[in-house]
Amino acid sequence: MIGTTRVASTEDVAERVLDARDSGTALRIVGRGHWLDAGRPCVAPARLDLDALEGVTEYEPGDLVLTARAGTTLAELARITAREGQWLTLDPCGSPEGSLGATIATASAGPLASAFGTARDHLLGCVMVTGNGDVVRAGGRVVKNVAGFDLARLMTGAWGTLGVITEITLRLRSRPEVDRTLTVAIAADDPATAAWRWLRASPFTPLAAELCSATLARHLGAGDGVMLLLRLGGNAAQVQAAERSVSDLGDARALDESVWLRLREAEPMGAAVIRLANAPSRVGVLWSAASSAVERMGGFAHATLERGVVRCVVPVHPAEQENGRLRGMIGELQSSGSRIAERLPHALWERFPSPASDPLSIDTRRAFDPHLLLNPGILGELA
């Protein structure tokens, strides 16, 4: 790379983007550097590091609203909000030392999204710098802000290709009085469908319900065989009643809450990760196709049942024959539902169409970054 620039303010970012525009130098936008192997290969000769752009700038516990700079870690936000009995209910895969900006830019979410929504549902507003070096403030700092075009949510999931997010305003949640985690053995022939049907019929809505393949369950210390991790929250009476109802599903035992952190950090460095999605009622079809294929290759799968999402994690070896095995697995999953690749060896990205190759995405990209300076290639080449 030509060089790395660390910035500590929105003004610094705008100045660096203007320099890049004048010199025609594309920029790789980096938060804490934890997810640089995610997304398509980025072809930028220079880096713009945002890790010094950190800290909470405004926090109103009474309003359940917090504003922080993009380089602030999720772990730091958890520490600050916990003192007020609150939390940011975003739990993306990966280390909690990852940045808030990367979480929003990649629209990452985890098991808590079933109850609390995805990154877009948490976002109230943001400050960003476009590819022209313009500083734009989108959204607001209050929950009921509905005026105008929702530009902030447009940035969510754009992977930094529309602008460099420098500051983010989020809604928080109150922590439940009781937060209990159970692991439940699912002995049915179709465990995903059985668990989903129980969730649909239950009068209790868990904070999270994640189905784990046998390999992953053993790794997490959650049990032998396919296991369902349930996170129950509410007052003591609600949680006790919910625990009693779980007996209709299978044998359950309590686990420490730390299992959710182990789940976030379970995938090995350099693994291939493919996310499948379908209607929640068809999650059993996804699970049957994915879990067996993935475990045959020494990987594991886990499913957020109420969202109809199955993540497949497979270790990658450098030998070309391993790429061939991965191609075969991808082919097996072809008809299971929509497929989104999170991490892949470079040669396999051709198997997945670009998510930003349609005319609307191309025109939007050129409106915000006409010189294609920001994270070029990360969402696929433009037409």
Side-chain angles (χ1 to χ4, degrees):
M1 285 195 172
I2 290 175
T4 298
T5 303
R6 296 180 75 231
V7 291
S9 69
T10 298
E11 292 72 25
D12 289 348
V13 173
E15 182 179 348
R16 181 67 187 94
V17 171
L18 286 172
D19 289 344
R21 185 193 65 181
D22 293 343
S23 64
T25 303
L27 298 172
R28 175 64 158 117
I29 313 304
V30 179
R32 292 277 168 172
H34 289 268
W35 296 342
L36 293 185
D37 62 335
R40 295 168 182 267
C42 180
V43 288
R47 274 176 55 146
L48 183 63
D49 281 18
L50 307 181
D51 57 325
L53 191 64
E54 59 182 346
V56 172
T57 60
E58 188 173 343
Y59 182 19
E60 295 292 342
D63 294 334
L64 292 168
V65 172
L66 177 146
T67 301
R69 297 184 180 94
T72 310
T73 67
L74 298 178
E76 178 64 13
L77 294 177
R79 286 190 289 269
I80 291 170
T81 56
R83 295 196 291 261
E84 302 291 340
Q86 298 176 356
W87 60 340
L88 174 62
T89 50
L90 285 175
D91 57 343
C93 292
S95 169
E97 295 302 324
S99 72
L100 174 61
T103 302
I104 298 300
T106 59
S108 297
L112 289 174
S114 295
F116 299 108
T118 62
R120 285 184 175 88
D121 300 304
H122 291 72
L123 184 67
L124 298 176
C126 68
V127 178
M128 61 197 169
V129 178
T130 71
N132 274 325
D134 298 323
V135 177
V136 178
R137 298 181 182 274
R141 295 175 185 260
V142 294
V143 172
K144 293 186 178 180
N145 179 48
V146 293
F149 180 71
D150 201 342
L151 188 58
R153 285 180 172 82
L154 181 64
M155 299 297 120
T156 310
W159 286 72
T161 60
L162 303 181
V164 183
I165 299 174
T166 61
E167 190 174 86
I168 297 161
T169 299
L170 302 149
R171 71 175 72 208
L172 305 173
R173 308 283 180 169
S174 296
R175 283 188 172 273
E177 176 186 317
V178 178
D179 188 342
R180 188 79 42 80
T181 295
L182 302 177
T183 178
V184 187
I186 309 294
D189 292 336
D190 185 353
T193 299
W196 178 80
R197 287 176 175 166
W198 178 84
L199 289 166
R200 293 285 290 176
S202 174
F204 304 100
T205 301
L207 304 182
E210 198 78 2
L211 191 67
C212 301
S213 68
T215 298
L216 177 58
R218 287 193 298 271
H219 174 77
L220 299 177
D224 294 320
V226 177
M227 307 295 292
L228 179 67
L229 293 181
L230 281 175
R231 189 167 187 173
L232 308 175
N235 60 41
Q238 287 175 322
V239 172
Q240 288 173 3
E243 285 185 288
R244 288 193 295 269
S245 75
V246 174
S247 62
D248 295 336
L249 180 62
D251 295 331
R253 64 181 176 88
L255 281 183
D256 187 81
E257 182 184 321
S258 62
V259 70
W260 297 103
L261 176 58
R262 296 198 297 276
L263 173 62
R264 290 173 65 176
E265 298 180 326
E267 60 195 61
M269 185 71 67
V273 183
I274 298 171
R275 188 167 73 247
L276 306 175
N278 209 324
S281 60
R282 292 183 55 78
V283 71
V285 175
L286 291 185
W287 183 260
S288 296
S291 59
S292 58
V294 169
E295 294 230 335
R296 283 200 307 271
M297 296 187 64
F300 61 80
H302 58 106
T304 306
L305 297 174
E306 291 175 294
R307 297 184 64 214
V309 173
V310 178
R311 291 181 81 249
C312 306
V313 180
V314 179
V316 174
H317 303 287
E320 178 61 31
Q321 64 193 45
E322 292 296 336
N323 280 345
R325 294 178 65 206
L326 278 172
R327 289 179 193 273
M329 187 199 76
I330 292 170
E332 284 189 56
L333 302 178
Q334 187 81 33
S335 60
S336 301
S338 65
R339 304 173 307 158
I340 299 174
E342 296 182 17
R343 292 178 168 88
L344 278 181
H346 189 286
L348 297 186
W349 279 105
E350 65 187 27
R351 302 295 298 270
F352 291 82
S354 165
S357 58
D358 60 285
L360 178 59
S361 295
I362 292 171
D363 289 345
T364 302
R365 172 70 185 274
R366 293 191 182 280
F368 285 90
D369 182 19
H371 306 288
L372 307 183
L373 297 175
L374 307 178
N375 280 351
I378 203 166
L379 289 180
E381 296 304 319
L382 292 171

